[in-house]
Protein backbone atom coordinates (compact mmCIF):
# COMPACT_ATOMS: atom_id res chain seq x y z
CA UNK A 1 0.00 0.00 0.00
CA UNK A 2 1.23 3.44 -0.89
CA UNK A 3 -0.85 6.47 0.00
CA UNK A 4 -0.44 10.02 -1.17
CA UNK A 5 -1.70 12.42 1.44
CA UNK A 6 -2.07 16.12 2.14
CA UNK A 7 -2.12 17.48 5.67
CA UNK A 8 -3.91 20.77 6.11
CA UNK A 9 -3.22 22.46 9.42
CA UNK A 10 0.06 20.59 9.76
CA UNK A 11 1.52 22.74 12.56
CA UNK A 12 -1.40 22.31 14.97
CA UNK A 13 -1.96 19.64 17.62
CA UNK A 14 -3.52 17.06 15.23
CA UNK A 15 -1.25 17.98 12.32
CA UNK A 16 1.97 17.44 14.29
CA UNK A 17 0.70 14.16 15.77
CA UNK A 18 -0.27 13.00 12.26
CA UNK A 19 3.20 13.72 10.90
CA UNK A 20 4.75 12.02 13.92
CA UNK A 21 2.84 8.76 13.39
CA UNK A 22 3.10 8.60 9.61
CA UNK A 23 6.85 9.26 9.72
CA UNK A 24 7.14 5.72 11.12
CA UNK A 25 5.83 4.23 7.84
CA UNK A 26 7.32 4.40 4.38
CA UNK A 27 3.98 3.89 2.63
CA UNK A 28 2.78 7.45 3.24
CA UNK A 29 3.86 10.11 0.83
CA UNK A 30 3.24 13.67 2.06
CA UNK A 31 2.38 15.62 -1.09
CA UNK A 32 1.18 18.85 0.51
CA UNK A 33 1.09 20.73 3.80
CA UNK A 34 -0.65 23.86 4.99
CA UNK A 35 -0.26 26.10 7.99
CA UNK A 36 -1.80 29.35 9.14
CA UNK A 37 1.13 31.27 10.62
CA UNK A 38 3.67 28.97 12.28
CA UNK A 39 6.17 29.21 9.42
CA UNK A 40 9.17 28.17 11.54
CA UNK A 41 7.63 24.76 12.25
CA UNK A 42 6.31 24.52 8.69
CA UNK A 43 9.87 25.08 7.45
CA UNK A 44 11.10 22.12 9.54
CA UNK A 45 8.25 19.96 8.24
CA UNK A 46 9.10 20.87 4.63
CA UNK A 47 12.72 19.80 5.15
CA UNK A 48 11.69 16.54 6.74
CA UNK A 49 8.71 15.48 4.59
CA UNK A 50 9.57 17.20 1.27
CA UNK A 51 6.03 18.05 0.06
CA UNK A 52 5.53 19.27 -3.51
CA UNK A 53 3.49 22.26 -2.45
CA UNK A 54 2.31 24.16 0.61
CA UNK A 55 -0.23 26.80 1.52
CA UNK A 56 0.21 29.52 4.13
CA UNK A 57 -3.21 30.93 4.93
CA UNK A 58 -2.11 34.01 6.91
CA UNK A 59 -1.10 36.77 4.43
CA UNK A 60 1.70 38.30 6.53
CA UNK A 61 3.19 34.90 7.30
CA UNK A 62 3.09 34.12 3.58
CA UNK A 63 5.27 37.19 2.89
CA UNK A 64 7.61 36.48 5.80
CA UNK A 65 8.08 32.92 4.61
CA UNK A 66 9.80 34.12 1.41
CA UNK A 67 12.00 36.53 3.35
CA UNK A 68 13.18 33.85 5.75
CA UNK A 69 13.28 30.55 3.86
CA UNK A 70 14.29 29.28 0.46
CA UNK A 71 12.49 26.20 -0.83
CA UNK A 72 12.03 25.18 -4.42
CA UNK A 73 8.33 24.32 -4.05
CA UNK A 74 5.03 25.86 -5.03
CA UNK A 75 3.62 28.09 -2.27
CA UNK A 76 -0.03 29.14 -2.22
CA UNK A 77 -1.63 31.74 0.05
CA UNK A 78 -4.98 32.20 1.76
CA UNK A 79 -8.14 30.11 1.69
CA UNK A 80 -8.37 30.58 -2.07
CA UNK A 81 -4.81 29.27 -2.32
CA UNK A 82 -5.81 26.20 -0.34
CA UNK A 83 -8.54 25.45 -2.85
CA UNK A 84 -6.17 26.00 -5.77
CA UNK A 85 -3.67 23.68 -4.16
CA UNK A 86 -6.33 20.99 -3.59
CA UNK A 87 -7.50 21.17 -7.20
CA UNK A 88 -3.91 20.72 -8.42
CA UNK A 89 -3.18 17.79 -6.10
CA UNK A 90 -3.07 14.13 -6.94
CA UNK A 91 -3.71 12.61 -3.51
CA UNK A 92 -5.63 9.67 -2.05
CA UNK A 93 -6.74 11.47 1.09
CA UNK A 94 -6.61 14.90 2.69
CA UNK A 95 -6.33 15.25 6.47
CA UNK A 96 -8.23 18.35 7.46
CA UNK A 97 -6.76 19.43 10.77
CA UNK A 98 -7.43 23.14 10.28
CA UNK A 99 -8.95 24.72 13.38
CA UNK A 100 -12.20 26.67 13.21
CA UNK A 101 -15.04 27.39 10.81
CA UNK A 102 -12.61 28.29 7.99
CA UNK A 103 -12.24 24.54 7.39
CA UNK A 104 -15.89 24.19 6.30
CA UNK A 105 -15.25 25.68 2.87
CA UNK A 106 -12.16 23.50 2.42
CA UNK A 107 -13.81 20.27 3.55
CA UNK A 108 -16.73 20.93 1.25
CA UNK A 109 -14.42 21.74 -1.64
CA UNK A 110 -12.28 18.62 -1.19
CA UNK A 111 -15.40 16.43 -1.04
CA UNK A 112 -16.82 18.15 -4.13
CA UNK A 113 -13.65 17.09 -5.97
CA UNK A 114 -14.37 13.50 -4.94
CA UNK A 115 -11.34 13.35 -2.63
CA UNK A 116 -11.55 11.31 0.58
CA UNK A 117 -11.24 13.42 3.69
CA UNK A 118 -9.85 12.44 7.09
CA UNK A 119 -11.76 14.95 9.14
CA UNK A 120 -10.42 16.29 12.41
CA UNK A 121 -12.23 19.61 12.19
CA UNK A 122 -15.46 19.70 14.22
CA UNK A 123 -16.94 22.95 12.92
CA UNK A 124 -17.30 21.59 9.37
CA UNK A 125 -19.79 19.02 10.57
CA UNK A 126 -21.36 20.91 13.49
CA UNK A 127 -22.22 23.94 11.34
CA UNK A 128 -22.32 22.37 7.89
CA UNK A 129 -23.32 18.77 8.59
CA UNK A 130 -26.02 18.64 5.98
CA UNK A 131 -23.85 20.29 3.31
CA UNK A 132 -20.75 18.14 3.75
CA UNK A 133 -22.54 14.81 4.19
CA UNK A 134 -24.75 15.36 1.14
CA UNK A 135 -21.72 16.42 -0.93
CA UNK A 136 -19.86 13.28 0.13
CA UNK A 137 -22.88 11.22 -0.87
CA UNK A 138 -23.08 12.97 -4.23
CA UNK A 139 -19.42 12.49 -5.23
CA UNK A 140 -18.87 9.18 -3.43
CA UNK A 141 -15.98 10.64 -1.41
CA UNK A 142 -15.53 9.23 2.09
CA UNK A 143 -15.45 11.19 5.31
CA UNK A 144 -13.16 9.29 7.69
CA UNK A 145 -13.61 10.60 11.22
CA UNK A 146 -10.45 11.49 13.16
CA UNK A 147 -12.13 12.69 16.35
CA UNK A 148 -11.49 9.78 18.73
CA UNK A 149 -15.16 9.20 19.63
CA UNK A 150 -16.31 9.22 16.03
CA UNK A 151 -13.42 7.06 14.96
CA UNK A 152 -14.52 4.63 17.69
CA UNK A 153 -18.13 4.59 16.50
CA UNK A 154 -16.98 4.28 12.88
CA UNK A 155 -14.86 1.26 13.85
CA UNK A 156 -17.73 -0.33 15.81
CA UNK A 157 -19.95 0.07 12.76
CA UNK A 158 -17.62 -1.78 10.38
CA UNK A 159 -19.70 -4.63 9.03
CA UNK A 160 -23.02 -3.06 9.99
CA UNK A 161 -24.90 -2.71 6.71
CA UNK A 162 -28.30 -1.70 8.08
CA UNK A 163 -28.39 1.31 10.37
CA UNK A 164 -31.79 0.25 11.72
CA UNK A 165 -29.77 -2.25 13.75
CA UNK A 166 -28.33 0.62 15.79
CA UNK A 167 -30.19 1.06 19.07
CA UNK A 168 -27.98 3.83 20.51
CA UNK A 169 -24.60 5.43 20.08
CA UNK A 170 -22.79 6.14 23.36
CA UNK A 171 -20.17 8.86 23.17
CA UNK A 172 -17.79 8.67 26.10
CA UNK A 173 -16.64 11.78 27.98
CA UNK A 174 -13.93 11.94 30.61
CA UNK A 175 -16.03 14.47 32.51
CA UNK A 176 -13.08 16.87 32.63
CA UNK A 177 -11.50 18.23 35.80
CA UNK A 178 -14.80 19.42 37.34
CA UNK A 179 -16.84 16.25 37.23
CA UNK A 180 -16.95 16.04 41.04
CA UNK A 181 -16.29 19.70 41.85
CA UNK A 182 -18.72 21.42 44.24
CA UNK A 183 -21.34 22.76 41.83
CA UNK A 184 -21.67 26.04 43.73
CA UNK A 185 -17.92 26.60 43.54
CA UNK A 186 -17.80 26.17 39.76
CA UNK A 187 -18.20 29.88 39.13
CA UNK A 188 -14.84 30.49 40.82
CA UNK A 189 -12.70 28.09 38.80
CA UNK A 190 -9.84 29.66 36.87
CA UNK A 191 -8.63 29.14 33.31
CA UNK A 192 -5.54 27.38 34.69
CA UNK A 193 -7.63 24.86 36.62
CA UNK A 194 -9.81 24.26 33.56
CA UNK A 195 -6.73 23.67 31.42
CA UNK A 196 -5.74 20.61 33.44
CA UNK A 197 -7.22 17.82 31.38
CA UNK A 198 -6.89 14.44 33.07
CA UNK A 199 -6.30 12.20 30.03
CA UNK A 200 -5.90 13.88 26.67
CA UNK A 201 -3.26 16.25 25.42
CA UNK A 202 -5.08 18.89 23.34
CA UNK A 203 -5.07 22.58 22.50
CA UNK A 204 -6.44 25.19 24.98
CA UNK A 205 -9.80 25.67 23.25
CA UNK A 206 -10.63 21.94 23.19
CA UNK A 207 -9.43 21.51 26.76
CA UNK A 208 -11.82 24.22 28.00
CA UNK A 209 -14.57 22.67 25.86
CA UNK A 210 -13.89 19.36 27.62
CA UNK A 211 -14.20 20.95 31.03
CA UNK A 212 -17.63 22.43 30.16
CA UNK A 213 -18.65 19.31 28.19
CA UNK A 214 -19.34 21.55 25.19
CA UNK A 215 -16.79 19.40 23.40
CA UNK A 216 -19.10 16.42 23.91
CA UNK A 217 -22.10 18.52 22.92
CA UNK A 218 -20.44 19.42 19.62
CA UNK A 219 -19.56 15.76 19.17
CA UNK A 220 -23.22 14.75 19.63
CA UNK A 221 -24.09 17.02 16.69
CA UNK A 222 -21.13 15.65 14.73
CA UNK A 223 -22.24 12.06 15.35
CA UNK A 224 -25.81 12.81 14.29
CA UNK A 225 -24.58 13.89 10.85
CA UNK A 226 -21.66 11.50 10.35
CA UNK A 227 -23.68 8.39 11.19
CA UNK A 228 -27.07 9.65 10.04
CA UNK A 229 -28.92 8.63 13.20
CA UNK A 230 -31.66 10.41 15.14
CA UNK A 231 -30.54 12.76 17.88
CA UNK A 232 -32.38 10.80 20.58
CA UNK A 233 -30.22 7.77 19.81
CA UNK A 234 -27.01 9.61 20.65
CA UNK A 235 -26.18 9.41 24.32
CA UNK A 236 -23.29 10.66 26.40
CA UNK A 237 -21.73 8.58 29.15
CA UNK A 238 -19.09 9.82 31.59
CA UNK A 239 -16.16 7.42 31.55
CA UNK A 240 -13.31 9.01 33.51
CA UNK A 241 -10.61 6.52 32.45
CA UNK A 242 -10.88 7.48 28.73
CA UNK A 243 -10.08 3.92 27.66
CA UNK A 244 -13.35 3.24 25.85
CA UNK A 245 -13.55 5.88 23.14
CA UNK A 246 -17.22 5.28 22.33
CA UNK A 247 -19.73 2.47 21.89
CA UNK A 248 -22.58 1.30 19.72
CA UNK A 249 -25.54 -0.51 21.25
CA UNK A 250 -27.36 -2.73 18.76
CA UNK A 251 -31.02 -3.80 18.74
CA UNK A 252 -30.16 -7.30 19.98
CA UNK A 253 -28.76 -5.86 23.21
CA UNK A 254 -25.11 -6.22 22.21
CA UNK A 255 -22.63 -3.42 22.67
CA UNK A 256 -19.46 -2.95 20.66
CA UNK A 257 -16.85 -0.68 22.20
CA UNK A 258 -13.55 0.64 20.92
CA UNK A 259 -10.77 0.62 23.49
CA UNK A 260 -7.24 2.00 23.23
CA UNK A 261 -4.83 4.25 25.03
CA UNK A 262 -6.05 7.87 24.84
CA UNK A 263 -3.57 8.84 22.13
CA UNK A 264 -4.82 10.73 19.07
CA UNK A 265 -2.21 9.12 16.86
CA UNK A 266 -4.30 5.91 16.81
CA UNK A 267 -7.50 7.41 15.34
CA UNK A 268 -5.45 9.66 13.05
CA UNK A 269 -3.59 6.67 11.62
CA UNK A 270 -6.76 4.60 11.30
CA UNK A 271 -8.39 7.35 9.21
CA UNK A 272 -5.31 7.56 6.97
CA UNK A 273 -4.70 3.83 6.60
CA UNK A 274 -8.39 2.76 6.45
CA UNK A 275 -9.50 0.07 5.77
CA UNK A 276 -6.12 -1.31 6.85
CA UNK A 277 -4.67 -1.23 10.37
CA UNK A 278 -1.01 -0.58 11.05
CA UNK A 279 1.21 -1.13 14.10
CA UNK A 280 1.53 2.00 16.23
CA UNK A 281 3.33 0.44 19.18
CA UNK A 282 0.91 2.28 21.48
CA UNK A 283 -0.10 -0.49 23.86
CA UNK A 284 -3.02 -0.63 26.27
CA UNK A 285 -2.29 -2.72 29.33
CA UNK A 286 -5.61 -3.99 30.71
CA UNK A 287 -3.99 -5.18 33.94
CA UNK A 288 -2.75 -1.64 34.63
CA UNK A 289 -6.16 -0.14 33.79
CA UNK A 290 -8.01 -2.49 36.14
CA UNK A 291 -11.38 -0.77 36.40
CA UNK A 292 -13.62 0.97 33.91
CA UNK A 293 -16.51 3.04 35.25
CA UNK A 294 -19.56 4.75 33.75
CA UNK A 295 -21.74 7.58 35.01
CA UNK A 296 -24.71 9.51 33.71
CA UNK A 297 -23.82 13.11 32.77
CA UNK A 298 -25.26 15.82 35.00
CA UNK A 299 -26.99 18.34 32.71
CA UNK A 300 -27.26 20.86 35.53
CA UNK A 301 -23.55 20.82 36.20
CA UNK A 302 -22.86 20.92 32.48
CA UNK A 303 -25.47 23.20 30.86
CA UNK A 304 -23.36 23.36 27.67
CA UNK A 305 -24.30 19.76 26.95
CA UNK A 306 -28.02 20.58 27.22
CA UNK A 307 -27.56 23.63 24.96
CA UNK A 308 -25.85 21.52 22.29
CA UNK A 309 -28.74 19.01 22.25
CA UNK A 310 -31.17 21.94 22.01
CA UNK A 311 -29.24 23.51 19.13
CA UNK A 312 -29.19 20.18 17.28
CA UNK A 313 -32.93 19.76 17.87
CA UNK A 314 -33.70 23.24 16.54
CA UNK A 315 -31.41 22.67 13.55
CA UNK A 316 -30.74 25.08 10.68
CA UNK A 317 -28.04 27.57 11.64
CA UNK A 318 -28.60 27.18 15.41
CA UNK A 319 -25.57 24.88 15.79
CA UNK A 320 -23.53 27.56 13.97
CA UNK A 321 -24.70 30.11 16.54
CA UNK A 322 -23.95 27.72 19.41
CA UNK A 323 -20.45 27.14 18.10
CA UNK A 324 -19.71 30.82 17.43
CA UNK A 325 -20.95 31.88 20.86
CA UNK A 326 -18.95 29.13 22.53
CA UNK A 327 -15.76 30.15 20.74
CA UNK A 328 -16.04 33.73 21.97
CA UNK A 329 -17.13 32.67 25.46
CA UNK A 330 -14.07 30.41 25.76
CA UNK A 331 -11.79 33.22 24.54
CA UNK A 332 -13.28 35.54 27.14
CA UNK A 333 -12.89 32.94 29.87
CA UNK A 334 -9.25 32.28 28.92
CA UNK A 335 -8.62 36.04 28.98
CA UNK A 336 -10.15 36.20 32.45
CA UNK A 337 -12.97 38.55 31.46
CA UNK A 338 -15.84 36.14 32.24
CA UNK A 339 -16.24 33.33 34.76
CA UNK A 340 -16.55 29.61 34.08
CA UNK A 341 -20.31 29.48 34.64
CA UNK A 342 -20.78 32.53 32.40
CA UNK A 343 -19.78 30.41 29.39
CA UNK A 344 -23.15 28.60 29.07
CA UNK A 345 -25.03 31.76 30.06
CA UNK A 346 -23.50 33.71 27.21
CA UNK A 347 -24.18 30.86 24.76
CA UNK A 348 -27.82 30.59 25.82
CA UNK A 349 -28.29 34.34 25.38
CA UNK A 350 -26.89 34.17 21.85
CA UNK A 351 -29.07 31.18 20.98
CA UNK A 352 -32.20 33.03 22.13
CA UNK A 353 -31.12 36.02 20.06
CA UNK A 354 -30.47 33.85 17.00
CA UNK A 355 -33.92 32.18 17.22
CA UNK A 356 -35.37 35.00 15.10
CA UNK A 357 -32.66 34.78 12.43
CA UNK A 358 -32.39 31.04 11.87
CA UNK A 359 -31.82 29.92 8.31
CA UNK A 360 -32.86 26.38 7.45
CA UNK A 361 -30.87 24.53 4.76
CA UNK A 362 -28.16 27.22 4.88
CA UNK A 363 -25.50 27.72 2.22
CA UNK A 364 -21.84 27.87 3.19
CA UNK A 365 -22.01 31.65 2.78
CA UNK A 366 -25.03 31.82 5.18
CA UNK A 367 -23.08 29.85 7.77
CA UNK A 368 -19.92 31.94 7.42
CA UNK A 369 -21.92 35.19 7.57
CA UNK A 370 -23.77 34.18 10.73
CA UNK A 371 -20.55 32.99 12.34
CA UNK A 372 -18.79 36.28 11.56
CA UNK A 373 -21.71 38.55 12.52
CA UNK A 374 -22.27 36.86 15.88
CA UNK A 375 -18.56 36.86 16.74
CA UNK A 376 -18.20 40.55 15.83
CA UNK A 377 -21.22 41.35 17.98
CA UNK A 378 -19.83 39.41 20.96
CA UNK A 379 -16.22 40.63 20.88
MN1 LIG B 1 -13.24 13.95 20.71
Amino acid sequence: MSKKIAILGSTGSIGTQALDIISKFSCFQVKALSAHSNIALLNEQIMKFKPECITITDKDSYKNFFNQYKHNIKVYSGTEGLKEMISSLDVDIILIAIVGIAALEITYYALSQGIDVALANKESVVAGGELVTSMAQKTGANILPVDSEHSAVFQCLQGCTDKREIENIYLTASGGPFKDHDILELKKVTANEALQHPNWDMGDKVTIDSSTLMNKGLEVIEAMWLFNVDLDKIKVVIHPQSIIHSMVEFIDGSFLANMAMPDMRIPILYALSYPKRMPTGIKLNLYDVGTLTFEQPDFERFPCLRLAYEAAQIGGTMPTALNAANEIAVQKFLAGSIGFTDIPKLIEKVMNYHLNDIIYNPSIQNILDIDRTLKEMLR
Side-chain angles (χ1 to χ4, degrees), residues 8 53 83 93 106 201 217 237 261 274 305 320 330 344 355 366:
L8 310 184
C53 49
K83 284 196 209 167
I93 188 162
I106 301 306
D201 176 16
V237 60
M261 287 296 284
Y274 176 82
L305 189 56
T320 303
V330 170
L355 263 181
N366 293 146

Side-chain angles (χ1 to χ4, degrees), residues 122 147-150 215-216 219 222 264:
K122 278 197 171 66
D147 204 349
S148 61
E149 295 77 4
H150 305 81
N215 186 51
K216 213 50 54 181
E219 289 176 352
E222 226 184 321
M264 280 309 296

Side-chain angles (χ1 to χ4, degrees), residues 94-107:
I94 300 181
L95 171 62
I96 299 188
I98 297 169
V99 178
I101 196 91
L104 170 59
E105 240 184 303
I106 301 306
T107 304

Side-chain angles (χ1 to χ4, degrees), residues 39 172 214:
I39 54 173
T172 51
M214 180 54 95

